[in-house]
Amino acid sequence: MATITRPETTPIATRTQARPLEGGVVCVGVSHQTAPLALRERLALSRDAIGAMLAQFGCGRDSRPIGVSELVVLATCNRLELYAAGSAQAADILLDRVASATGVPRTELDAVAYVYEGDDAVRHLCRTAAGLESMIVGESQVLGQVSDALATAMAHGAAGHALTTIFRGAVRAGRRARVETGINHNSATVSSAAVKLATSVVDDLASATVLVVGAGQTAELAVRALQQRGAERIVICSRTREHAEQLTDAVGGAVIPFEQLADALAAADIVVASTSAPHHLITRGMVASALWLRPDRPLVILDLAVPRDVDPDVASVPGVWHVDLDDLQRNVAESRDERAGEIPRVEAVVDEETRAVADALRQLGAQPLIADLRHHAEAVRRTALEQSRHHFAHLSEADRAAIAAFSESLVNRLLHEPMRRLRHDAAEGQAAGYAMALRHLFGLGG
C-alpha cells in the first residue's frame, strides 16, 4: 500500500496553538481515517442541520458566535469537516457546535477530531478536492462535494472572502490534478468499488435483479457501475417517488413504492442502499424473511449510507453477503497502489495552489487598507476640486470635466506604485508594519 504524505495533525486534547495564516483559517474534522463508521454515522448531519448551522453564521446574524466570521461545512459519507475564518478559539467553538448538533460528547469527539490551521488548513482542503484524502484515491465525486459545500454556505451568507478564496483554490487544485496527472485514470468511486466487490459473488449480472434503495448521486453512480458490468434489471425504491422517477429517467429501470421494500428484497440478488435516512431501513428480520423465501440464492447487500441504511446484524443471516463503508475501506488497497505513482505529481499541484491561495489570503488582509486609502484620496480630490470651483467658473463644462478627469488620473498614478508594493508585501506576509505606518501617516481609522 502506498504511503501518502500528509500534514501533521494534532488531537484536540493535546494540541498546542499553531502559527495561523494571516486571516485566521481553521479546519476541524473527522474522517474515515480517524473514526470508525459507527462513530461517523453518529456525527452525520442532515441537510437541514447543516443549513441551520450555517444560518447561525450568516452575515448580520446576532447569533453568530464571537470568534468565527465565516463557515463552510463539508459533509460526505466519509468525512465531516468545518472550515472557518476567525480567531484562535474557532476550533473549540466549532467542535462545541458539532457536539451540540449531534449529541456526541466533546470528550469522545476530541479523541478522533483533527485540526488544521493556516497553510495546513488550505493544503488539507486542496488534497481533499484532489482526491488524496478519499477512501478511493483520486475519486472524482469529492470535487463536486467541495464545490457544493461552498455554494451552500454562500446561499446562507456564511462564506465570505476568505473561505470563498480557499474553496475556489481547492476546486482549482482538484481540477488541475485530474487534468494534469493520471490520478483519475480508470476513475473509481465508493459506489464502483462496492459494485466490483459484489461481482465476485454474483457472476451473471445480466440475469440478476438489482434493488436500489435511494435515488441520490451515490445510488446513480452505483447503478451506472452495475450497468457497465452487464446489469439490466434495475428496480428503484425511494421514499420520494419523484426522486425515484428522476433516477429512472437518467438510468432506466422500474420504480416501486417504498412500502413494497420488504417484498422487493425477496426478489433481489443485489441491494444497493444509499439514502439520507437517520435510521435503519432494512432490518435483520426483513432480510431473514426474504432469504426464507429464496434459500438457494445468495443476497448481496451494499450499504453505502452514513448513517447506515442496513442493520449490521443482517450479516449473520445465512446466505447474505453484506458490505458497508468500513468493510469497503479494508478492500480498497488496490486503488491506492494503482495511483501511487501519480501522488507526487498531485502533491506538486496541491503545493502550487496552496501557495497561490495563501498569497491571495494575505492580500485580502491588505484590501481594507487599500480601500481606505482610495476612499481618503478620492475625498481629498473632490474637496480640492470643490474648493477650486470659483477658479474654473469661466471654463466650459467640457474643460471642467477634463480637469476632473485629470485629477482622477493623477490620484490613480500616485497610488499605483504604493498599492502594488503593499499587495506584494502582503503576499510575503510583511504588510502589518506598513499598514500601521500608512494608517498613522494618512490619519486613517482602523
Side-chain angles (χ1 to χ4, degrees):
M1 181 184 301
T3 299
I4 300 177
T5 302
R6 57 202 299 266
E8 291 285 332
T9 57
T10 309
I12 290 291
T14 59
R15 73 184 178 94
T16 56
Q17 183 175 337
R19 180 183 65 83
L21 182 72
E22 191 173 335
V25 180
V26 63
C27 163
V28 300
V30 174
S31 76
H32 65 284
Q33 297 178 348
T34 65
L37 178 57
L39 179 53
R40 296 203 309 276
E41 62 186 354
R42 291 169 57 202
L43 291 169
L45 294 176
S46 67
R47 187 174 302 176
D48 289 342
I50 292 173
M53 184 178 291
L54 290 170
Q56 296 173 353
F57 293 82
C59 295
R61 299 297 175 94
D62 294 335
S63 59
R64 174 188 287 177
I66 297 174
V68 177
S69 58
E70 302 178 34
L71 177 68
V72 176
V73 179
L74 176 60
T76 73
C77 62
N78 283 321
R79 69 179 54 79
L80 173 63
E81 294 181 344
L82 280 69
Y83 291 82
S87 69
Q89 291 74 42
D92 287 317
I93 293 170
L94 297 180
L95 286 166
D96 282 342
R97 291 301 172 100
V98 172
S100 176
T102 62
V104 175
R106 265 297 301 265
T107 53
E108 191 173 356
L109 184 57
D110 289 350
V112 297
Y114 46 81
V115 175
Y116 293 112
E117 294 177 304
D119 284 351
D120 286 344
V122 176
R123 181 174 290 104
H124 176 72
L125 182 59
C126 287
R127 296 183 88 257
T128 298
L132 294 183
E133 297 288 345
S134 296
M135 181 186 296
I136 310 296
V137 175
E139 60 95 2
S140 57
Q141 190 175 3
V142 69
L143 181 56
Q145 293 165 335
V146 169
S147 181
D148 290 344
L150 174 61
T152 300
M154 292 176 69
H156 286 84
H161 292 304
L163 292 187
T164 298
T165 298
I166 292 170
F167 270 73
R168 286 178 175 169
V171 170
R172 189 166 57 246
R175 289 173 177 165
R176 284 187 58 195
R178 289 165 177 83
V179 171
E180 298 175 18
T181 79
I183 197 69
N184 204 35
H185 180 65
N186 293 328
S187 178
T189 63
V190 167
S191 298
S192 63
V195 166
K196 186 176 180 179
L197 288 176
T199 57
S200 65
V201 179
V202 180
D203 295 327
D204 186 10
L205 284 181
S207 61
T209 296
V210 178
L211 172 63
V212 180
V213 185
Q217 184 181 30
T218 299
E220 180 177 345
L221 290 171
V223 171
R224 293 191 183 278
L226 285 161
Q227 289 174 329
Q228 288 174 359
R229 293 175 177 269
E232 298 176 358
R233 288 152 52 181
I234 309 294
V235 178
I236 311 295
C237 181
S238 174
R239 289 170 296 177
T240 305
R241 186 176 182 87
E242 180 184 359
H243 294 166
E245 290 174 346
Q246 289 173 352
L247 181 55
T248 58
D249 288 343
V251 300
V255 175
I256 63 170
F258 191 76
E259 294 73 22
Q260 295 181 14
L261 174 58
D263 294 333
L265 288 172
D269 297 289
I270 298 176
V271 176
V272 178
S274 177
T275 79
S276 57
H279 53 76
H280 297 151
L281 300 178
I282 299 175
T283 65
R284 187 185 188 284
M286 293 168 62
V287 173
S289 297
L291 267 292
W292 184 81
L293 297 173
R294 29 79 68 83
D296 298 329
R297 287 165 48 216
L299 178 62
V300 176
I301 300 179
L302 307 177
D303 188 356
L304 307 181
V306 179
R308 284 172 283 194
D309 286 332
V310 183
D311 183 345
D313 286 344
V314 303
S316 64
V317 177
V320 172
W321 196 81
H322 171 254
V323 174
D324 62 21
L325 289 175
D326 267 0
D327 298 320
L328 190 61
Q329 185 173 0
R330 291 187 283 268
N331 286 275
V332 295
E334 181 183 346
S335 71
R336 287 191 289 268
D337 291 340
E338 288 176 350
R339 296 171 173 81
E342 296 299 316
I343 291 174
R345 298 179 62 198
V346 178
E347 294 283 13
V349 170
V350 166
D351 286 345
E352 288 180 14
E353 292 299 338
T354 298
R355 287 193 296 270
V357 169
D359 289 348
L361 281 177
R362 293 188 179 100
Q363 289 183 39
L364 278 179
Q367 290 306 311
L369 173 58
I370 290 174
D372 288 348
L373 275 173
R374 288 195 175 280
H375 180 76
H376 175 74
E378 177 64 13
V380 170
R381 183 186 73 85
R382 288 180 177 274
T383 299
L385 283 175
E386 183 65 24
Q387 292 174 344
S388 303
R389 285 182 60 186
H390 64 282
H391 293 300
F392 306 141
H394 64 287
L395 300 178
S396 66
E397 182 176 345
D399 288 337
R400 290 196 296 270
I403 291 173
F406 170 76
S407 68
E408 185 173 354
S409 175
L410 180 62
V411 167
N412 287 337
R413 290 189 179 189
L414 286 171
L415 290 178
H416 174 73
E417 186 62 17
M419 297 307 174
R420 186 191 69 78
R421 289 175 179 265
L422 183 59
R423 290 190 182 95
H424 176 271
D425 291 339
E428 297 294 323
Q430 301 172 357
Y434 291 114
M436 185 180 299
L438 285 169
R439 288 192 179 279
H440 173 71
L441 290 172
F442 284 91
L444 303 177

